[in-house]
Amino acid sequence: MAPKSKPTIIDVARVAGVSVTTVSRVLNGGKYVSPDKLAAVQEAFDKLDYQPNLHARSLAGERAYLIGLLFDDPRGDYLSGMQRGTLLAGQKADYHVLVELLGRTGTLAQMKRLISRVRLSGVILTPPVCDHTSLLNTLVRHHIPAVRISPSSDFPGIPSVKIDDYAAATEMTRHLITLGHRKIGFIIGDPEHADARERQRAFNDALAKAGLEAKPEWVAEGGYQFSGGLTAARKILSQPDRPTAIFASNDDMAAAVIAVADEMGLRVPADLSVSGFDDTSLASAVSPALTTIRQPVEQMAMKAVEILLERISGEKPETETPVMMGTKFVRRGSTGPAPQ
Amino acid sequence: MAPKSKPTIIDVARVAGVSVTTVSRVLNGGKYVSPDKLAAVQEAFDKLDYQPNLHARSLAGERAYLIGLLFDDPRGDYLSGMQRGTLLAGQKADYHVLVELLGRTGTLAQMKRLISRVRLSGVILTPPVCDHTSLLNTLVRHHIPAVRISPSSDFPGIPSVKIDDYAAATEMTRHLITLGHRKIGFIIGDPEHADARERQRAFNDALAKAGLEAKPEWVAEGGYQFSGGLTAARKILSQPDRPTAIFASNDDMAAAVIAVADEMGLRVPADLSVSGFDDTSLASAVSPALTTIRQPVEQMAMKAVEILLERISGEKPETETPVMMGTKFVRRGSTGPAPQ
DNA sequence: CTGTTAGCGCTTTCAG
DNA sequence: CTGAAAGCGCTAACAG
């Protein structure tokens, strides 16, 4: 039961009765290898329980079988969902995942260090680092394949995966209107992010289309945070003429709206309907549970990895247009008919 | 601005006017190197913006400057807190972190594969994989340093970091008793986990010490999940003689208690006090916010990495007893005086 | 299709 | 204290 020293490609070659080159070929797709040798090699793999050494491969070749997952701060369901997706998809393709925290400052230097220390096959960029322009440029300059998830800006040459924020927010706004609400408030996320702006634009457009007014007093900014949502909700709900529904740009802020309603003695949804966005675990943990938009975060990340692997292997023409993933409207208890 | 090919140790040696061996020595601690050469090498490092290649180091040496973070499922604040801690501490020591998902089945095989593919300097084990005995044995057999976070079982030879669940749960129970509650319910987490059992033991002991009865009808199991908490809360609160306070073993289940109270028309904390454990972000997002126990998850992970690095470098005598981290009682709105 | 042979960039004996 | 040289395990030309 001693950890007999790991078999190397040489052992496999010997056992299979072929050269290391052939073994290497099998390892890398089995092209240009005769069926019988291929079988012999695979048999040797099994027999020896062989696993190629990642570092040796990286050092010798140009690929590293390592994908980098870059975060600014992997907090919250949204980001950990991305990680799960990346891990799952990476695992399926036999890639390992290196997670790296890129601080708010010195990001570029950190990236450069990372690049020269580790040979990454490619990287997945989560928000907000996916919008760090000089970082993106560095990646391009070093020919490191990358895919961006939910980017705010355009960046030619690097594919991305996102959802249709406009359509989703339109659907939510319509839902509220359909319930009879005429006075609807809105809490913006972080206006730095394109998604936040898109959601608001959809909100405004849907209101206009229904002939409703979007009162500025009913709109506030919450920065996508619970605490910001608290402030925003208080501001909106302390108006003499307050809305009967509030659409918060994410679940955290929607939860904050509920908290404020609670402290003001407003019943949700009887007196005030509240809706969120994302469908994080918080959405169903709050009472009442939030009507929200489910974002397929995990699948987005999986898709991103898929695209990344295509880029790495050099297949497929470059997809310049972002891949759009579908969202799902989720109706729960926090929204109801407008009060009389 | 072209990505000039990265400088290697040879370049550094040439620029510094020394041999690669000397450069390597500097890289590895600078022992047995004269001050002037050391300075020259360091100057060359800066000048060339040199970064040692991880794969080459791993291949040549036995260390990999890579620590493995093993998860069963990195969901939730608790686990992502561990990741943040690991990343932060790893970063500080110039280590990179490879995150690996070890499925519920085939765990051991996955671990073995990982070990033979990647040369990990050491691994951090999060619950529940930290209790996978054969996995631990494999690690030991391969001489891979490891540290366990919040393990349930004992395992000689592998250090661990945990909190004092008993003390924390005692404090919470006393808090409830001090508020005047005499009828207190309890929701157990996953009895497979030692922490869940410890929290319950503390609860029972504290009750007994105060001369209070722990009615079996007031105790239920929630598996540490929101959904389980829902069921448990309904069971407890549907008793004809129901408790005036419920201590849930974690925040998710406590949130579920609030949800159930809500649907039954019970006001929290006026009619029912609710307390949780962990102080995840959920604790402050529900209304009312949860009185809970703050677990220093991030710090625990940082401590774990610290210990791991000591093990890797072979310093320090082996610490067999688990390192205990302090918790903090956090009073919020979900608990209040017992109703008359 | 197949094998030979250089390295990839670093650590590590082993002699000075 | 210092350096020369032998690999670590694998890939990638380059010849057959």
Side-chain angles (χ1 to χ4, degrees):
Chain A
M1 225 30 199
K4 46 242 166 224
S5 65
K6 295 146 195 163
T8 74
I9 198 174
I10 299 185
D11 300 315
V12 176
R14 190 180 324 108
V15 170
V18 300
S19 73
V20 293
T21 311
T22 300
V23 179
S24 175
R25 290 206 176 93
V26 174
L27 235 32
N28 295 292
K31 284 288 178 195
Y32 311 115
V33 176
S34 66
D36 52 326
K37 301 224 168 193
L38 199 157
V41 171
Q42 267 156 352
E43 218 168 279
F45 280 167
D46 290 356
K47 185 170 172 193
L48 298 176
D49 206 15
Y50 170 78
Q51 292 295 339
N53 179 294
L54 183 80
H55 305 297
R57 301 184 87 173
S58 309
L59 192 55
E62 55 172 9
R63 307 168 65 190
Y65 306 91
L66 211 51
I67 103 165
L69 177 58
L70 275 25
F71 281 116
D72 170 65
D73 185 0
R75 240 186 269 252
D77 276 18
Y78 183 75
L79 276 320
S80 46
M82 303 217 159
Q83 171 160 328
R84 263 183 64 80
T86 305
L87 251 20
L88 254 19
Q91 198 160 66
K92 209 180 306 177
D94 246 19
Y95 272 67
H96 294 274
V97 176
L98 197 66
V99 176
E100 200 79 12
L101 228 51
L102 297 182
R104 274 254 173 253
T105 81
T107 313
L108 193 57
Q110 272 187 66
M111 188 70 228
K112 286 183 173 166
R113 256 174 31 122
L114 180 61
I115 291 178
S116 43
R117 282 158 173 261
V118 185
R119 233 171 223 158
L120 262 13
S121 296
V123 302
I124 296 290
L125 300 159
T126 62
V129 289
C130 58
D131 289 302
H132 193 298
T133 315
S134 44
L135 171 13
L136 296 175
N137 277 317
T138 303
L139 254 19
V140 170
R141 209 179 308 127
H142 286 263
H143 307 293
I144 298 182
V147 177
R148 309 197 291 155
I149 299 179
S150 286
S152 280
S153 53
D154 281 335
F155 195 95
I158 299 187
S160 58
V161 175
K162 50 175 16 179
I163 57 162
D164 190 340
D165 287 285
Y166 188 87
T170 299
E171 186 172 5
M172 182 59 84
T173 310
R174 284 205 186 127
H175 164 67
L176 262 15
I177 295 174
T178 303
L179 284 172
H181 295 279
R182 323 258 85 200
K183 305 193 291 186
I184 309 179
F186 186 80
I187 301 185
I188 314 169
D190 181 348
E192 294 272 301
H193 294 331
D195 45 54
R197 297 192 301 268
E198 279 297 276
R199 290 172 199 179
Q200 185 179 18
R201 193 166 65 82
F203 172 74
N204 288 333
D205 290 358
L207 242 47
K209 209 159 289 174
L212 298 176
E213 185 189 8
K215 274 213 187 179
E217 306 92 85
W218 294 340
V219 174
E221 206 174 300
Y224 278 144
Q225 312 263 300
F226 180 81
S227 57
L230 242 30
T231 316
R234 287 195 187 110
K235 179 185 158 251
I236 296 174
L237 293 175
S238 61
Q239 303 295 324
D241 179 28
R242 64 180 162 220
T244 62
I246 293 182
F247 177 8
S249 295
N250 78 350
D251 292 342
D252 289 52
M253 300 191 299
V257 176
I258 290 185
V260 171
D262 230 63
E263 74 188 24
M264 296 181 64
L266 295 171
R267 288 160 308 157
V268 176
D271 302 321
L272 179 75
S273 281
V274 178
S275 68
F277 204 110
D278 286 352
D279 196 22
T280 54
S281 63
L282 179 59
S284 15
V286 130
S287 340
L290 295 172
T291 290
T292 187
I293 298 284
R294 169 134 65 231
Q295 219 180 134
V297 201
E298 212 169 299
Q299 286 86 325
M300 290 169 73
M302 292 177 64
K303 184 69 188 171
V305 170
E306 211 173 278
I307 297 174
L308 184 64
L309 295 178
E310 286 170 7
R311 286 295 254 247
I312 291 172
S313 64
E315 313 162 6
K316 288 273 187 138
E318 324 225 328
T319 351
E320 278 317 324
T321 51
V323 173
M324 288 287 191
M325 306 284 286
T327 56
K328 194 176 163 220
F329 172 81
V330 181
R331 163 83 127 121
R332 295 214 184 84
S334 67
T335 53
Q340 295 315 313
Chain B
M1 223 30 197
K4 47 237 167 234
S5 64
K6 295 145 196 164
T8 73
I9 197 173
I10 298 185
D11 301 315
V12 176
R14 191 180 321 108
V15 170
V18 300
S19 72
V20 294
T21 312
T22 299
V23 179
S24 174
R25 288 205 178 93
V26 174
L27 234 33
N28 296 291
K31 283 289 178 196
Y32 309 115
V33 176
S34 65
D36 51 325
K37 302 225 167 191
L38 199 159
V41 171
Q42 267 155 354
E43 219 168 280
F45 281 167
D46 289 355
K47 186 171 173 191
L48 299 176
D49 205 15
Y50 170 77
Q51 292 294 340
N53 179 293
L54 184 79
H55 305 298
R57 301 185 88 174
S58 308
L59 192 54
E62 56 172 11
R63 308 168 65 189
Y65 307 91
L66 210 52
I67 101 164
L69 176 57
L70 309 182
F71 281 116
D72 170 66
D73 185 359
R75 241 185 269 252
D77 277 17
Y78 182 76
L79 276 321
S80 44
M82 303 217 158
Q83 172 159 327
R84 263 184 64 79
T86 304
L87 251 22
L88 253 20
Q91 199 160 65
K92 208 180 308 176
D94 245 19
Y95 271 68
H96 293 274
V97 176
L98 197 67
V99 176
E100 201 80 13
L101 226 52
L102 296 181
R104 273 254 171 254
T105 79
T107 313
L108 194 56
Q110 273 188 67
M111 188 71 228
K112 286 184 174 166
R113 258 176 28 126
L114 180 61
I115 291 177
S116 41
R117 283 159 175 262
V118 185
R119 233 171 223 157
L120 262 12
S121 295
V123 302
I124 295 291
L125 301 159
T126 62
V129 289
C130 58
D131 288 302
H132 193 297
T133 316
S134 43
L135 170 13
L136 297 174
N137 276 318
T138 302
L139 254 19
V140 171
R141 208 179 306 127
H142 287 262
H143 307 293
I144 297 182
V147 178
R148 309 196 292 157
I149 299 179
S150 287
S152 280
S153 54
D154 280 335
F155 195 94
I158 299 188
S160 58
V161 176
K162 50 174 19 180
I163 57 163
D164 189 340
D165 287 285
Y166 188 87
T170 299
E171 187 172 3
M172 182 59 83
T173 310
R174 285 204 186 125
H175 164 68
L176 263 14
I177 295 173
T178 303
L179 284 172
H181 295 278
R182 322 257 85 199
K183 304 192 293 186
I184 308 179
F186 186 81
I187 301 186
I188 313 169
D190 180 347
E192 293 273 302
H193 294 330
D195 46 53
R197 297 191 301 268
E198 279 298 275
R199 291 172 199 178
Q200 185 180 21
R201 195 167 65 83
F203 171 76
N204 288 333
D205 289 359
L207 242 47
K209 209 159 289 174
L212 297 176
E213 185 188 10
K215 273 212 187 179
E217 306 92 85
W218 296 340
V219 174
E221 207 173 300
Y224 278 144
Q225 312 261 302
F226 181 81
S227 57
L230 241 31
T231 316
R234 285 192 189 114
K235 180 185 157 252
I236 295 174
L237 292 176
S238 62
Q239 303 295 324
D241 179 28
R242 63 179 164 221
T244 61
I246 293 182
F247 175 10
S249 296
N250 77 349
D251 293 340
D252 289 51
M253 299 191 298
V257 177
I258 289 186
V260 170
D262 230 63
E263 74 187 26
M264 295 181 64
L266 294 171
R267 290 160 308 158
V268 176
D271 303 321
L272 179 74
S273 280
V274 178
S275 68
F277 203 109
D278 286 350
D279 196 22
T280 54
S281 63
L282 180 59
S284 15
V286 294
S287 338
L290 296 172
T291 291
T292 187
I293 298 285
R294 169 133 67 231
Q295 218 179 137
V297 202
E298 211 169 300
Q299 286 85 327
M300 289 168 75
M302 293 177 66
K303 185 68 188 171
V305 170
E306 210 174 280
I307 296 174
L308 183 64
L309 295 178
E310 287 170 6
R311 287 294 254 245
I312 291 172
S313 63
E315 312 163 3
K316 289 271 187 142
E318 324 224 330
T319 352
E320 277 318 325
T321 50
V323 173
M324 287 288 191
M325 306 284 286
T327 55
K328 194 176 165 220
F329 173 81
V330 181
R331 163 80 126 125
R332 295 214 185 85
S334 68
T335 53
Q340 295 313 311

